[in-house]
Amino acid sequence: AAVAEQLDIDAPFNPAREANRHADAAFPLDAWPITPDPDADAYGYAASWALIARIEDAAGSDAVPAVLARVAAGLGPYEPGDVTPQLPPDGGVGPTVPLTSRSFLDHLEAVTDTNLAPLFREQVLIAADVELLPARTDARAAFRDVVAAAGGWGVPGPVASAMTAWDFGVATELMADARTWLAERDALLSDLEAAGLSAPDRLNQAYQAYGGGAEAEAELQAEREVAAAYTEAAEAANAERSLIERLGLVGGPDPEAQLALANGRFAEGDLRESLEAVAEANRIVELAATNGIVRIVSLGLVVMIA
C-alpha cells in the first residue's frame, strides 16, 4: 500500500471492502485456520491489512515500527526503553521472542497513549483472551501505579513476566506486594539520608529480582539493621566526652575513621564489612575511658620515677 501510493498506482484492492465482501468467512485473526478455505484466506489477508491501517490511523504511522524495533531489541512489552527503528543488517536474525497478538497489543499501548484493546477485541483476539480484557485494564492501572511509586526503579521482573503472560491475577498480587515493599523502601531511604548513608545498588537489584517477595524484604531488613547500628555508633562517637575519655582517644584509633569506612562499605553493598567497622567504632568509644585512665596512671608513674 505504501509503495503503491509512492508510485502513484492503484493498490490491488481496498482491504476494508474486501474483508466485508468475505464477511461470511470471518473469524478472529488469532484463530486463523491452519488449513483455511479460499474465502477464509481472502478474509484473513484483507482483514489483517485493514487492521494495520486502523492501528496506524489510531496510533500514528510510527507506532508499528516502534513496536518492531522494541521486539527486535529483545525488549518485553512491560520493560522500559526506547529503541530507534532501523533497517536490520543483511542476514539479520529474527527477534528472540515471537511477537504474539497479546504482546503486539501490549507493545502498541507501551509506545502510544491510544487504547487499542477495543480494536483487538473486535478483530483479533479469541474469546478466552477477550474475557481477560477487563482484568487487563485493572492490572495495567495497577502497573502504572507501581511505576509511579517506584520513582525510576521500574517494575520487578516477576511482575513484568506475569503481565506479559496475561496472568493478571498473579500480577495483581505481586504488584500489591511491590507497593508495600516500596513504601518500606521509602522509609528506609529517608532513614539512610538522615544518617548520611547512600543506598547500595543491591537494594534496587533485590527489588528488580524479587519485587516485594521474601528475599527483597530480607534485604530491606538487613540494611535497616546496619543503618540503625551505624546511626547509634555515630551518635556515640559524636557525644560529649569527659576529659578522661578525650585523653583516651588522643593518638589512638579514631572512631570517625571507622564510621567513614562503614559508610563506604555500606554504599558498596558490603553490609558485613560495614557492620564490622561500626562495631570497631563502638569498641574504640567504649574503651576511651579505660585508655584515658591507663594514660593518667602511666603519666603519674613517669612523674614519680622522674
Side-chain angles (χ1 to χ4, degrees), residues 167-295:
D167 195 346
F168 300 119
V170 170
T172 300
E173 292 178 0
L174 292 174
M175 287 187 286
D177 292 342
R179 287 295 301 272
T180 299
W181 189 92
L182 287 169
E184 296 177 358
R185 176 210 64 175
D186 290 343
L188 173 62
L189 292 181
S190 179
D191 292 343
L192 295 181
E193 182 178 5
L197 294 168
S198 299
D201 291 340
R202 57 185 282 173
L203 184 62
N204 189 344
Q205 292 165 359
Y207 168 71
Q208 292 292 337
Y210 306 111
E215 297 87 345
E217 186 63 35
E219 178 61 27
L220 270 178
Q221 182 59 29
E223 294 189 20
R224 277 196 209 101
E225 292 174 358
V226 177
Y230 176 89
T231 300
E232 184 178 347
E235 291 173 352
N238 294 319
E240 191 69 27
R241 296 192 182 94
S242 66
L243 177 62
I244 291 177
E245 289 173 328
R246 292 199 299 272
L247 182 61
L249 292 175
V250 172
D254 184 3
E256 295 292 344
Q258 289 299 316
L259 288 173
L261 177 61
N263 193 314
R265 292 290 186 265
F266 186 86
E268 294 168 359
D270 194 338
L271 303 188
R272 183 185 299 277
E273 290 287 339
S274 179
L275 204 54
E276 288 179 358
V278 166
E280 180 61 17
N282 283 329
R283 190 187 70 82
I284 294 171
V285 171
E286 290 167 359
L287 290 176
T290 301
N291 290 339
I293 293 172
V294 169
R295 289 183 178 184

Side-chain angles (χ1 to χ4, degrees), residues 11-277:
F13 57 81
N14 179 287
R17 285 201 294 267
E18 183 71 7
N20 287 335
R21 196 165 72 84
H22 296 280
D24 290 343
F27 51 85
L29 290 175
D30 245 6
W32 198 322
I34 296 176
T35 55
D37 58 48
D39 279 345
D41 251 358
Y43 169 79
Y45 286 114
S48 298
W49 181 355
L51 170 71
I52 297 299
R54 292 181 66 184
I55 289 173
E56 289 193 339
D57 288 342
S61 60
D62 294 334
V64 172
V67 167
L68 299 180
R70 284 172 57 86
V71 175
L75 288 177
Y78 292 95
E79 295 180 67
D82 295 323
V83 182
T84 302
Q86 55 186 340
L87 292 174
D90 292 341
V93 298
T96 56
V97 179
L99 182 61
T100 66
S101 295
R102 286 178 171 185
S103 55
F104 187 32
L105 171 59
D106 289 344
H107 271 293
L108 282 167
E109 292 188 344
V111 301
T112 177
D113 294 330
T114 307
N115 177 16
L116 295 170
L119 179 56
F120 275 66
R121 179 194 296 114
E122 175 188 341
Q123 285 192 256
V124 180
L125 300 175
I126 61 175
D129 285 347
V130 169
E131 291 178 359
L132 293 174
L133 289 178
R136 176 180 181 271
T137 298
D138 294 341
R140 286 176 65 82
F143 182 87
R144 290 190 291 272
D145 289 343
V146 170
V147 171
W153 284 24
V155 295
V159 170
S161 296
M163 291 292 291
T164 301
W166 282 33
D167 195 346
F168 300 119
V170 170
T172 300
E173 292 178 0
L174 292 174
M175 287 187 286
D177 292 342
R179 287 295 301 272
T180 299
W181 189 92
L182 287 169
E184 296 177 358
R185 176 210 64 175
D186 290 343
L188 173 62
L189 292 181
S190 179
D191 292 343
L192 295 181
E193 182 178 5
L197 294 168
S198 299
D201 291 340
R202 57 185 282 173
L203 184 62
N204 189 344
Q205 292 165 359
Y207 168 71
Q208 292 292 337
Y210 306 111
E215 297 87 345
E217 186 63 35
E219 178 61 27
L220 270 178
Q221 182 59 29
E223 294 189 20
R224 277 196 209 101
E225 292 174 358
V226 177
Y230 176 89
T231 300
E232 184 178 347
E235 291 173 352
N238 294 319
E240 191 69 27
R241 296 192 182 94
S242 66
L243 177 62
I244 291 177
E245 289 173 328
R246 292 199 299 272
L247 182 61
L249 292 175
V250 172
D254 184 3
E256 295 292 344
Q258 289 299 316
L259 288 173
L261 177 61
N263 193 314
R265 292 290 186 265
F266 186 86
E268 294 168 359
D270 194 338
L271 303 188
R272 183 185 299 277
E273 290 287 339
S274 179
L275 204 54
E276 288 179 358

